[in-house]
Structures are given as C-alpha cells and as structure tokens.
C-alpha cells in the first residue's frame, strides 16, 4: 500500500492532516503518530479488525496486547473498571507516560487485549496524539510503531524504515521527548505492580500508592515455562541485529576493555560523552553524559539502530544502575542484550 507521510512542524497548525488521519482510523485503517514516549502505530481501539491489522503490520504475536490511548483520564470509565487508585494516578501523572491496567469493559474487543480480561489504558500528553484521539472520538489502540522485536522508533526516520508500505499514513512530529515507552502498572485492589519501568519512576509511584511491587521479569529473565504478568515480557525486544553485550564493572575497567575490543575485534560501543575522546569515534555512539539519564533514555533506541549500521558484529554498552530512570534503561538494555552481561 502507498503510505502518506505528513509532517507537522508547528503543533498549532495541523492543517487537514489530523482530519485525514482521523478519517483513516475511523474507517478501520492505520496511522502512525508521535507521542511523548515513542511513535505509536494506531488503529480504532473498538474495532477487532483494526487490532488484527496492527498485529500484522508489526509482525507482532496476537497474544501480546495493545495499549488503548484516550484523550482525557476520565474517558477510561467507558472502557475499564476504574477506582480510587486509578484517579490518584491520573491526578499525579496524566496526561503523561503512564499506562494503567484494569479490568476491561465489553466494548473493548478481545483482539485488542490479546484475549485477556484486562485492558491497558494511557492518556498521552503529546499535543498531536491528544488532538488526534479527541478528533477520532474513539480510543486509539497503539503499540510502538516498530517491526516486532526491533527498537521502538523515536523519530519518523525510523518509523519510515519499519512501517513504510504497511500503514495508510505516518505523521512526522519530530523527535519524541522521552524516548522510552510508558511506565506500565497493574492495579490489584489497593496495590500496584510495576510491569514495565519508564519515565514515571518507581519512587514517583510510591508517593501515590503505599504498596508498589516490581514484577520479577522487569529485572530478571523469565524462567522456562513461567507465565508472565504481561505477555510482552516473554518476547525478545529492542534488539539490534549484532550481538549486544552489557559490561558490568568500574567505569575505568569498562573503558579499558572496550578500547581493547575496538582495536582487536572491531566492536562497536554505546559510550558516555565523556569517554568518546578515548575511543575510536568510527565505532562509538554517544548516548549522553554519564549522569544524564534523561538524555540516555532519549537516545538509547536510536543508538541501538545506528550501532547496527556501523557493521560490527558485537556492540558493547555499560550496564546501567537501577536508580530513578536507570531502572527503565536497565530493563530495555538487558532485554536488547538477551540478558548477556559480562563482568570486567
Ligand atoms: P507496546 O504496545 O509495544 O508499548 O507494548 C505494550 C506492552 O503492554 C506489552 O508488553 C504488553 O504485554 C503490555 N500490556 C498491554 N495490555 C496488557 C494487559 N492487559 N495486561 C498485561 N500487560 C499488558
Ligand atoms: Mg513495543
């Protein structure tokens, strides 16, 4: 199919783009749109067939459920059984990069939820995403707009790489502000389980709810035959084509190791800005200053895609710490590395 690529530079002047995009979604087609986290591959969240098209465009297994995107936090009422904790989370973090899993209402097709009786709901803050959902008047089901298994796209260039010819329209809204997917929590009575860490950190969630558990699969590999709390946890994700290995050790030891590997084995590296002058620049991609986790989050997925283009068969990176946004970086990186961690 021909994919229309529409660029929105000034968010106050959408022209006809959003009318056209809403028309496509309401007639069952697919539109890629920018959000503050990563680009989303959107379809009508009330149409079973739209979900099937999304799975097929992504090459995603159909038991891996989609997140529905709403214009206002209170719209969740129409699609899920909310409650006190939902509204406390909404008050603190919505609109924004938080997805909440609750029991679903009948209007949400099982094809959207991968057969589950729960639904994941998010209210994005990006003005284009917000305006598009509002115009459609239906929830937009949208996973990240990458081919399944690849790093999530944080700019239209990478959306086009993966989705050109597979969707009716791509809205280019520039670079995504956050760069990692939303934090996902599941509400269980009065407690929360963190299923995917993101820009809303564990500490921030603890300010709203006294009992926040971290699902074991956030940090560790699932055991053989273990049933994950979130189906997406069992799939390989974010992976570059080259072998990706995380290095655990003092910064100076890690730097010595990667310097040697670049010289002897032509390996690529995702490095901190401070390290670049010590390394082979043609095999190094900076992801930000060591202490600047926001920039690292924003650059990680682009860096994984660009590292592949350097032609190395191995890519190294530092193992992140678990503090604050570090937990989200750690979670994405251990999965991209298929849990390969080397002590140096
Ligand atoms: P993506 O759409 O690519 O951002 O991925 C969405 C993630 O949300 C996947 O890992 C899903 O498994 C997870 N998810 C969506 N809906 C549910 C649900 N009802 N229960 C548990 N996890 C969910
Ligand atoms: Mg994804």
């Amino acid at each position: 199919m021909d994919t229309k690529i529409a660029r929105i530079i000034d968010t106050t002047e959408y022209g006809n783009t959003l009318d056209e995009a809403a028309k496509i979604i309401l007639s069952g087609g697919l539109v890629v749109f920018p959000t503050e986290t990563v680009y989303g591959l959107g379809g009508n969240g009330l149409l079973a067939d739209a979900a099937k098209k999304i799975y097929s465009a992504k090459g995603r297994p159909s038991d891996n459920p989609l997140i529905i995107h709403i214009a206002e936090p209170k719209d969740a009422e129409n699609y899920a059984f909310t409650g006190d904790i939902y509204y406390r989370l909404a008050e603190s973090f919505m609109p924004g990069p938080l997805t909440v899993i609750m029991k679903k209402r009948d209007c949400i097709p099982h094809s959207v939820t991968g057969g589950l009786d729960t639904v994941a709901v998010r209210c994005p803050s990006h003005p284009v995403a917000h305006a598009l959902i509002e115009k459609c008047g239906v929830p937009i089901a949208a996973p990240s707009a990458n081919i399944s298994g690849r790093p999530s796209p944080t700019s239209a260039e990478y959306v086009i790489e993966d989705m050109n010819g597979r969707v009716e329209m791509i809205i280019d809204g520039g670079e995504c502000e956050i760069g990692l997917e939303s934090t996902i929590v599941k509400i269980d009575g009065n407690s929360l389980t963190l299923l995917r860490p993101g820009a809303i950190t564990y500490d921030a969630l603890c300010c709203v709810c006294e009992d926040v558990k971290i699902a074991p699969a956030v940090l560790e590999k699932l055991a053989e035959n273990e049933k994950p709390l979130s189906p997406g946890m069992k799939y390989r994700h974010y992976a570059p084509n080259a072998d990706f290995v995380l290095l655990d050790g003092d910064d100076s030891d890690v730097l010595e190791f990667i310097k040697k590997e670049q010289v002897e084995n032509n390996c690529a590296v995702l490095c901190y800005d401070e390290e670049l002058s010590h390394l082979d620049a043609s095999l190094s991609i900076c992801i930000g200053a060591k202490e600047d986790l926001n920039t690292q989050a924003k650059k990680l997925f682009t860096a994984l895609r660009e590292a592949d283009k350097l032609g190395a068969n191995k890519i190294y990176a530092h193992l992140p710490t678990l503090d604050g946004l570090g937990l989200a970086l750690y979670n994405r990186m251990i999965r991209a590395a298929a849990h390969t961690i080397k002590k140096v």
Side-chain angles (χ1 to χ4, degrees):
M1 97 178 47
D2 275 345
T3 299
K4 173 162 184 174
I5 298 171
R7 191 164 161 67
I8 292 186
I9 299 164
D10 179 349
T11 49
T12 58
E13 287 180 29
Y14 298 131
N16 293 327
T17 301
L18 293 190
D19 287 329
E20 212 178 312
K23 216 162 146 191
I24 292 169
I25 286 187
L26 290 173
S27 60
L30 304 183
V31 174
V32 175
F33 61 98
T35 83
E36 70 277 22
T37 57
V38 301
Y39 275 77
L41 166 56
N44 185 340
L46 301 178
L47 279 185
D49 278 353
K52 287 182 192 146
K53 279 193 197 164
I54 291 174
Y55 289 119
S56 140
K58 266 182 80 80
R60 177 171 179 148
S62 59
D63 70 343
N64 191 0
L66 310 175
I67 294 172
I68 62 163
H69 294 71
I70 56 177
E72 306 297 333
K74 66 171 172 26
D75 296 347
E77 220 48 74
N78 301 323
Y79 314 118
F81 293 93
T82 65
D84 175 49
I85 292 207
Y86 172 76
Y87 283 103
R88 274 194 275 148
L89 290 168
E91 173 94 353
S92 299
F93 307 120
M94 293 183 196
L98 179 71
T99 296
V100 183
I101 295 175
M102 295 167 283
K103 197 164 176 334
K104 80 172 192 72
R105 292 191 189 269
D106 287 344
C107 60
I108 299 296
H110 272 114
S111 61
V112 168
T113 64
L116 300 173
D117 289 329
T118 50
V119 62
V121 180
R122 174 161 118 76
C123 178
S125 63
H126 193 291
V128 172
H130 179 266
L132 178 63
I133 303 162
E134 200 167 49
K135 210 169 252 299
C136 289
V138 297
I140 299 187
S144 50
N146 51 287
I147 299 279
S148 193
R150 303 203 69 203
S152 303
T154 56
S155 72
E157 178 191 345
Y158 301 113
V159 173
I160 294 165
E161 224 171 68
D162 281 15
M163 287 297 153
N164 201 15
R166 292 170 179 251
V167 297
E168 278 81 357
M169 187 176 193
I170 293 171
I171 303 175
D172 176 355
E175 223 182 307
C176 299
E177 188 57 38
I178 295 172
L180 295 180
E181 306 88 341
S182 59
T183 300
I184 302 182
V185 292
K186 184 164 191 231
I187 298 179
D188 288 307
N190 287 322
S191 63
L192 290 180
T193 307
L194 177 62
L195 300 182
R196 179 172 75 186
I200 306 298
T201 61
Y202 172 78
D203 289 341
L205 292 167
C206 290
C207 293
V208 174
C209 177
E210 276 176 15
D211 184 12
V212 187
K213 298 178 185 68
I214 299 182
V218 165
L219 293 166
E220 288 147 32
K221 204 171 177 172
L222 280 170
E224 286 288 316
N225 301 325
E226 185 180 343
K227 191 168 177 285
L229 289 170
S230 174
M233 288 169 166
K234 68 177 183 257
Y235 295 110
R236 183 162 186 250
H237 210 331
Y238 319 117
N241 295 317
D243 284 344
F244 184 45
V245 177
L246 299 174
L247 300 172
D248 184 11
D250 287 346
D251 283 347
S252 55
D253 294 338
V254 169
L255 184 59
E256 280 316 304
F257 178 84
I258 51 186
K259 259 161 80 175
K260 195 157 161 275
E261 281 291 296
Q262 285 192 325
V263 174
E264 291 176 4
N265 296 316
N266 236 21
C267 293
V269 58
L270 309 191
C271 66
Y272 300 134
D273 295 350
E274 300 88 323
E275 296 174 320
L276 186 64
S277 60
H278 303 281
L279 294 168
D280 176 345
S282 70
L283 286 170
S284 306
I285 294 183
C286 289
I287 57 167
K290 179 175 163 49
E291 303 299 335
D292 184 358
L293 300 184
N294 289 324
T295 301
Q296 291 173 34
K298 192 166 177 169
K299 288 190 171 176
L300 176 66
F301 289 145
T302 296
L304 285 171
R305 284 181 183 248
E306 291 303 318
D308 253 345
K309 294 176 187 161
L310 300 178
N313 53 20
K314 201 170 260 186
I315 304 168
Y316 288 110
H318 290 268
L319 183 70
T321 62
L322 299 177
D323 300 331
L325 192 54
L327 184 66
L329 282 161
Y330 183 97
N331 169 263
R332 304 310 190 277
M333 289 171 86
I334 52 169
R335 297 190 60 198
H339 298 265
T340 316
I341 300 174
K342 183 177 172 56
K343 283 219 177 285
V344 294

